[in-house]
Amino acid sequence: MSSTPSTRASSALKFIIPSLIGIFLFMVPISTDDGLTVPVALLAGWLEGLLSGILPAMGVIFIGISVAGAIIARFRPFSSGIAVSLFHVTNGWLLIRILGFIFAFLTLFQIGPAWLVGDATGGLLLYSLILLLITVFFFAGYFLPFLLNFGLLEFFGSILTILMRPLFTLPGRSSIDGLASWLGDGTIGVLLTSQQYESGHYTQREAAVISTTFSVVSITFTITILGELDLLAYTLPYYLTIVAAGVVCALIMPRIPPLSRKKNEYYNQQPAEEIANGHTGKNPVSSGWEKALDKASRTHWSSVLISGTKNVLDMWISVIPIVMGLGTIAVVIAEFTPLFAWLGAPFVPLLQLMQVPEAVAASETMLIGFADMFLPAILGTDIESEMTRFIIGALSVSQLIYMSEVGGLLLGSKLPVRFTDLVLIFLERTIISLPVIVLIAHFIF
């Protein structure tokens, strides 16, 4: 990179201005009538309200395109890179896409049994989650390059490696990823992590750790859970409890299977250039500044636009069908079978040992969150004990993995996590988080 003052000044502005815009859009909480949120989520909500009448049909169309393209690719393979990534899928993923289309189509036209197309099952996915994902993916896809492409990750990557490596076994650049996930939304975190992994910035292990450890739901959604549980008076201690449980999990989870057994290999076996080149030996701040300016100087706006369009199409066509297919199945099982009540039975003696009131009722909510994060709050509304409702609400968020959104997104992305990984990670996060949450709850109540 040229070292002339004018070039450095230009590169500095190109680094600073887009990065500040990205930080504002994804990380700065702002107050609205509905509570705290981040600007990109606010924009998504505005677009959802504007297009709410046609978004469900758009969701069905996107899923239909994903199925049609995948079937065509079976007989006449595509040659362009974007078409290959969108439509060249395995038989298993094609089946799930087809199921997602069937569920979405039946729900849109209200054809079939209520247990499949009702408000608590197919309707929950199509008219709530899919609408949100279409709008969030649109803005996140085009605005994520402000965080990714102009040097912000390079700058903080050099500075925070000294902290992130020993604590969380992660590179310094993941600090921005983690903050965007915690302050923004889990879907944004998964999308950001997926892009970084495919770009060669994270190994398989690092990508798996970040996407399953830091992708918490938005502040707004946590408040929604509190409202359902009639605990809005405990908003601050509730969120601080989630943070405490999250930090404990983040310290432990990368060091135990299945995350600890993920390979330290990059996507397509090729690390990004700045990682392959290693450290310069400079002061971390100076090194980070130089790397940021170099990254900004090499970024062209045309490539940002192309990359953003690819991001949006990839999430609309590849991910939404998986969420609809797997999410509907998971929610139907949770709503209409006693499976999760049976699975929660072993928690009764543990909850009783930790002196949690109404332990039997609480146990039925322990694992149902794997289907959808909001289900524990729905089941817990009739529990009289405020402390027990607090524990249920905090645990449901701390578990992170739920198939109606984050789980489906992870499986639909190219991130190196399998369904069995998600089951184990969910169980481990439950076991690790529960004592932390209960201990804090005993201090609060």
Side-chain angles (χ1 to χ4, degrees):
M1 186 178 70
S2 174
S3 59
T4 63
S6 61
T7 302
R8 289 182 63 82
S10 176
S11 297
L13 289 175
K14 198 175 179 183
F15 157 51
I16 293 171
I17 294 175
S19 296
L20 288 177
I21 293 173
I23 290 172
F24 171 73
L25 289 172
F26 288 95
M27 299 185 189
V28 177
I30 57 175
S31 180
T32 68
D33 292 338
D34 298 322
L36 292 176
T37 187
V38 290
V40 73
L42 190 64
L43 288 171
W46 167 79
L47 185 61
E48 182 180 343
L50 187 67
L51 302 177
S52 59
I54 63 172
L55 282 176
M58 288 178 61
V60 176
I61 291 171
F62 291 149
I63 300 173
I65 292 172
S66 76
V67 172
I71 292 175
I72 292 171
R74 283 287 188 282
F75 302 98
R76 190 172 182 177
F78 295 101
S79 57
S80 68
I82 179 64
V84 169
S85 67
L86 292 178
F87 301 120
H88 286 209
V89 296
T90 64
N91 291 332
W93 288 122
L94 175 58
L95 176 61
I96 293 173
R97 288 188 180 195
I98 293 172
L99 288 175
F101 177 72
I102 293 172
F103 296 155
F105 183 86
L106 294 178
T107 302
L108 180 67
F109 294 101
Q110 286 296 288
I111 302 170
W115 58 264
L116 180 63
V117 301
D119 292 340
T121 50
L124 174 68
L125 271 296
L126 183 62
Y127 290 100
S128 179
L129 181 57
I130 298 301
L131 267 62
L132 175 65
L133 293 184
I134 290 174
T135 54
V136 167
F137 288 162
F138 177 77
F139 287 109
Y142 280 110
F143 289 146
L144 272 177
F146 286 81
L147 285 178
L148 302 180
N149 293 13
F150 292 93
L152 186 67
L153 297 182
E154 284 71 20
F155 180 67
F156 281 97
S158 290
I159 296 173
L160 294 178
T161 295
I162 192 173
L163 176 66
M164 298 299 290
R165 278 295 181 196
L167 290 181
F168 308 119
T169 73
L170 297 172
R173 65 189 296 116
S174 65
S175 59
I176 296 298
D177 194 333
L179 283 173
S181 302
W182 272 90
L183 299 178
D185 186 86
T187 57
I188 294 171
V190 172
L191 177 56
L192 195 158
T193 305
S194 179
Q195 294 301 315
Q196 288 290 281
Y197 172 61
E198 292 177 48
S199 299
H201 293 292
Y202 296 144
T203 65
Q204 291 183 21
R205 187 191 61 79
E206 291 165 352
V209 169
I210 297 166
S211 60
T212 60
T213 304
F214 292 98
S215 296
V216 75
V217 296
S218 67
I219 296 174
T220 301
F221 191 80
T222 62
I223 294 174
T224 302
I225 290 176
L226 276 183
E228 179 71 17
L229 292 169
D230 195 22
L231 293 171
L232 286 173
Y234 297 94
T235 298
L236 182 59
Y238 174 77
Y239 202 76
L240 291 177
T241 301
I242 294 169
V243 171
V247 169
V248 172
C249 286
L251 291 170
I252 296 173
M253 294 295 296
R255 294 173 168 85
I256 61 176
L259 293 178
S260 64
R261 293 182 177 175
K262 294 294 179 182
K263 296 179 180 178
N264 280 305
E265 296 177 356
Y266 292 93
Y267 186 70
N268 290 334
Q269 307 296 316
Q270 184 62 44
E273 181 181 355
E274 63 265 28
I275 294 178
N277 289 340
H279 297 289
T280 62
K282 297 181 180 178
N283 175 280
V285 177
S286 302
S287 177
W289 177 257
E290 293 297 331
K291 289 180 180 180
L293 296 192
D294 180 57
K295 177 70 173 180
S297 69
R298 293 186 287 109
T299 297
H300 301 287
W301 286 103
S302 59
S303 66
V304 170
L305 181 62
I306 293 171
S307 174
T309 302
K310 182 181 180 298
N311 290 344
V312 173
L313 289 176
D314 192 37
M315 303 309 280
W316 279 355
I317 303 300
S318 300
V319 176
I320 285 178
I322 306 303
V323 173
M324 188 70 205
L326 293 179
T328 302
I329 293 171
V331 175
V332 167
I333 292 172
E335 287 285 336
F336 295 100
T337 75
L339 177 63
F340 288 103
W342 293 342
L343 294 176
F347 284 89
V348 173
L350 178 61
L351 291 169
Q352 291 173 337
L353 180 65
M354 294 188 289
Q355 299 180 345
V356 175
E358 300 178 74
V360 175
S363 71
E364 296 180 5
T365 71
M366 291 292 101
L367 299 181
I368 199 172
F370 186 70
D372 182 81
M373 188 177 287
F374 202 60
L375 292 177
I378 294 173
L379 293 182
T381 52
D382 295 330
I383 293 176
E384 293 184 8
S385 169
E386 284 192 337
M387 185 177 87
T388 302
R389 296 202 307 272
F390 181 94
I391 292 168
I392 290 169
L395 182 64
S396 69
V397 174
S398 301
Q399 289 166 325
L400 291 191
I401 308 298
Y402 55 112
M403 294 307 299
S404 66
E405 185 179 288
V406 170
L409 293 178
L410 289 168
L411 294 178
S413 72
K414 296 181 176 64
L415 290 166
V417 290
R418 300 167 299 180
F419 180 77
T420 52
D421 294 331
L422 297 183
V423 172
L424 288 173
I425 291 167
F426 176 85
L427 292 173
E428 289 171 353
R429 292 192 65 88
T430 302
I431 294 169
I432 295 169
S433 299
L434 183 59
V436 177
I437 294 170
V438 172
L439 179 62
I440 296 174
H442 276 295
F443 279 105
I444 297 173
F445 294 92

